Amino acid sequence: MREDDTGLRVGRIVEVEAYGGPEDLASHARFGATPRTAAMFGPAGHAYVYRVYGMHDCLNVVTGATGVASAVLIRAVVPVAGVEAMRRSRLVAAQRRRAARTTDGLRRAASSLARTADARLASGPGLVAAAFGIDRTWTGRDLCPSTATLRLVAPDADHADAHPDAGAVRRNGGVLAGPRIGVAYAGTTWAALPWRLWLVGEVAVSGVRGPR
DNA sequence: ACATTGATTACCT
DNA sequence: GGTAATCAATGTC
């Protein structure tokens, strides 16, 4: 969840991918600690935000002890609160894209966003960051303090009463696992590991390329 | 199905 | 120090 003067936004995580350290050839840590990946080697519970394809920022939660690189990429989230704030940030992200900087491109982007269902506002790793207004400058932030602007909260803790969809982790068909997306370059061993996890039946789960 | 986008890294000089 | 290839996607065609 993000809570600040931009409003309160809450999302329920429905899809993640796990990344390891230098031994994981699909991980950004495979080249060791670099200026970009330093946060991956930092303390657990902090954010690692990187840009992919020169356009999209992706939010990861560092999971290893200091000096041990590993992180979980938040690939998809179901909005629980703050849908309007998410739409505003999505539009800002669209405006930033060059293709949307023409008046026609911007009109298309706005129209496309307007047709996007609430449940799919953050249905992809780049969309999660866009909907929450997160970029690379958020790297290194501690996501654990109850006072943090951007923070992780237990599914049932804060908002089980605020929204019928909150705390619904156990509501559906459980969790499935499959190969991570877009990591063929890592070689068959690392690419085949079922380190992508998702909740069955969630419309926000991305990956048309993977099993549902 | 395809164009877009730019930081990052590795590999040269 | 410069350059080329790569990339944990998305929106538009």
Side-chain angles (χ1 to χ4, degrees), chain A residues 82-105:
Chain A
V83 165
E84 289 312 313
M86 292 182 191
R87 289 188 181 278
R88 283 195 293 273
S89 289
R90 282 285 310 271
L91 195 57
V92 170
Q95 287 168 340
R96 207 181 56 79
R97 290 196 335 272
R98 181 169 172 168
R101 273 186 238 154
T102 63
T103 51
D104 195 54

Side-chain angles (χ1 to χ4, degrees), chain A residues 95-186:
Chain A
Q95 287 168 340
R96 207 181 56 79
R97 290 196 335 272
R98 181 169 172 168
R101 273 186 238 154
T102 63
T103 51
D104 195 54
L106 185 54
R107 184 186 57 75
R108 286 175 186 277
S111 163
S112 172
L113 181 58
R115 291 194 310 273
T116 300
D118 287 353
R120 295 198 63 89
L121 284 174
S123 60
L127 299 179
V128 170
F132 279 79
I134 295 162
D135 61 31
R136 288 166 297 165
T137 65
W138 291 62
T139 280
R141 288 202 194 206
D142 189 350
L143 304 176
C144 298
S146 60
T147 55
T149 297
L150 181 67
R151 60 185 184 269
L152 297 161
V153 297
D156 296 319
D158 281 5
H159 293 278
D161 301 328
H163 190 283
D165 203 33
V169 173
R170 295 178 295 275
R171 178 196 59 188
N172 53 35
V175 180
L176 280 180
R180 296 173 288 185
I181 304 288
V183 297
Y185 62 88

